Structure formats: structure tokens, C-alpha cells
Amino acid sequence: AQSVTQPDIHITVSEGASLELRCNYSYGATPYLFWYVQSPGQGLQLLLKYFSGDTLVQGIKGFEAEFKRSQSSFNLRKPSVHWSDAAEYFCAVGGSGGSYIPTFGRGTSLIVHP
Amino acid sequence: KAGVTQTPRYLIKTRGQQVTLSCSPISGHRSVSWYQQTPGQGLQFLFEYFSETQRNKGNFPGRFSGRQFSNSRSEMNVSTLELGDSALYLCASSFGLILRDNEQFFGPGTRLTVL
């Protein structure tokens, strides 16, 4: 069965600093990987997704993620964090058994200090 | 273009009652999925409806059910509520079935509290 681990429950960064959120997945074949963001009182918004091809994926809001098969990882990065990036971030994996229904990680809460 | 709307946004019920949540998808979207989000279990898939038929189902008891209408609007029903059903229920819509090229768009959720 597919699964996702986000090892960091909370991450605190200063505004303007770089960011990396970790995501590790467990999956037998080539996974379909996603990063979503959830702001307070709002639903999830897709930041980026990886299905195949170039392992460095560009998303919205200046985010990017890199798929590393050897490490079973799909870490999310941003070179310079803005206060508005404070939110909950979810990594998800799909594709097991032909189903694209995502299995979500537990999320990482990003806190941005001014 | 209006996003996914969910009503009500907040709901308080007592154990044993039943509840119905509503979701209106983005215009033109035919697939509606439901997710439960709790601090303990995280985000879990409940079911997906497409063309008024349930196409996929997660691992939830039969107390959780849903339906979809001809205009693609969907309702989710939970009967005999338990304390553990307290959660944020998210609805997501997509143009077609949850496939690799069909992005899901999420609504703001309905916060259900069971007392």
C-alpha cells in the first residue's frame, strides 16, 4: 500500500529565508506525487505535481519540488519565504493499483517569523 | 469562475443524530470527492461520485454515504453520529474522474462538531 511520511510537524523560518519541507513516500512503482497547501479556513490548493519526466517540478507561488527515486523523497523548496506562505503543507502520493486517489501525509505546519 | 462551495460551513450535532453536508462543484466539473480531515487520522478519502454514481470508496463504515445529483451537486450523509466523526469535511471537484490529468479543486470545508 502507498504511504507518505512528512517527518516535520512544524517548521519555523524567518521571512526571506529559504525553505525545504520533507516528504518521503512508500510505493512500489513510479508514484504520482503532489504537494498541496491549506491556509486557515480554506481548502487545499495544489502547488505542484509529478507524474513523470523532469524530476525537478516547478509549481505556483514560487515553489518547486524534486523527485528523488533513490531516496523515495519529494521535498518541497522555496528560495525566499514570504509571510503569506504560513500555512499547512501536505504531500500526497497516488497511483497504486491504477488508482489516482491521493494518500496524504500528516502535514507540516509552516510558521514564518517577520 | 466560482470555486467549490460547501454548506454549511459549521455544524454542531449530538451523538446519535444524523447530518447532511452539501457541496456544489465548479461549473462544468462532473466529479465530486469527499475527504475527512482530523488531527488524529489526517486527510482521508471517503468517496468519489461521477455522473451520479459512486465510483470509488474509501475505508469508512456504512454510516457514511453520499449521492450526486444530475447537476453534479453532491451531498454527504453521516448517520448515527459518533464523537469521532468530529472533523473538517472537504469536498473536491474535478472535470473527470480522479486521474492523473484531472486536477482536484477543494472547497473550504464543513467543520462538524459532535457533542
Side-chain angles (χ1 to χ4, degrees):
Chain A
Q2 59 193 28
S3 66
V4 175
T5 301
Q6 293 181 248
D8 304 304
I9 298 175
H10 303 283
I11 286 227
T12 301
V13 299
S14 298
E15 191 169 16
S18 63
L19 171 70
E20 182 168 31
L21 302 182
R22 296 185 290 165
C23 172
N24 294 98
Y25 66 89
S26 174
Y27 184 75
T30 300
Y32 300 103
L33 296 160
F34 310 83
W35 273 101
Y36 287 88
V37 61
Q38 184 177 32
S39 298
Q42 298 186 24
L44 277 69
Q45 182 182 22
L46 180 67
L47 286 174
L48 47 80
K49 59 188 177 185
Y50 171 79
F51 291 141
S52 63
D54 193 346
T55 57
L56 185 62
V57 182
Q58 300 298 321
I60 63 171
K61 303 185 179 187
F63 286 93
E64 67 177 26
E66 186 171 12
F67 170 60
K68 293 185 177 180
R69 183 188 299 276
S70 62
Q71 299 176 21
S72 297
S73 69
F74 189 58
N75 295 347
L76 182 72
R77 301 193 295 245
K78 187 170 185 179
S80 178
V81 170
H82 188 262
W83 64 267
S84 60
D85 293 324
E88 190 87 13
Y89 291 81
F90 294 91
C91 181
V93 63
S96 173
S99 168
Y100 296 87
I101 296 167
T103 296
F104 288 89
R106 300 303 294 272
T108 297
S109 177
L110 174 64
I111 300 163
V112 180
H113 279 316
Chain B
K1 199 174 192 180
V4 177
T5 57
Q6 294 186 243
T7 56
R9 292 292 310 276
Y10 302 91
L11 205 49
I12 300 175
K13 293 285 187 179
T14 56
R15 278 182 300 174
Q17 287 186 310
Q18 75 166 15
V19 66
T20 299
L21 313 181
S22 181
C23 172
S24 293
I26 291 172
S27 177
H29 285 190
R30 297 171 63 193
S31 169
V32 173
S33 300
W34 290 88
Y35 294 83
Q36 182 195 62
Q37 185 177 19
T38 62
Q41 300 297 320
L43 265 160
Q44 295 183 287
F45 171 78
L46 279 156
F47 29 65
E48 178 186 21
Y49 283 85
F50 181 83
S51 293
E52 303 177 62
T53 303
Q54 187 180 92
R55 301 303 182 107
N56 291 290
K57 189 177 189 305
N59 188 26
F60 277 82
R63 299 185 298 106
F64 292 82
S65 63
R67 59 177 176 168
Q68 186 181 36
F69 302 95
S70 58
N71 61 359
S72 295
R73 190 177 70 85
S74 176
E75 289 182 347
M76 190 192 96
N77 186 76
V78 187
S79 62
T80 319
L81 283 166
E82 301 176 0
L83 295 179
D85 297 333
S86 294
L88 181 67
Y89 290 89
L90 293 167
C91 168
S93 77
S94 57
F95 180 74
L97 287 169
I98 302 175
L99 297 173
R100 51 172 274 174
D101 294 322
N102 280 325
E103 179 180 342
Q104 291 188 83
F105 293 83
F106 285 79
T110 294
R111 171 74 63 185
L112 172 64
T113 302
V114 182
L115 303 176

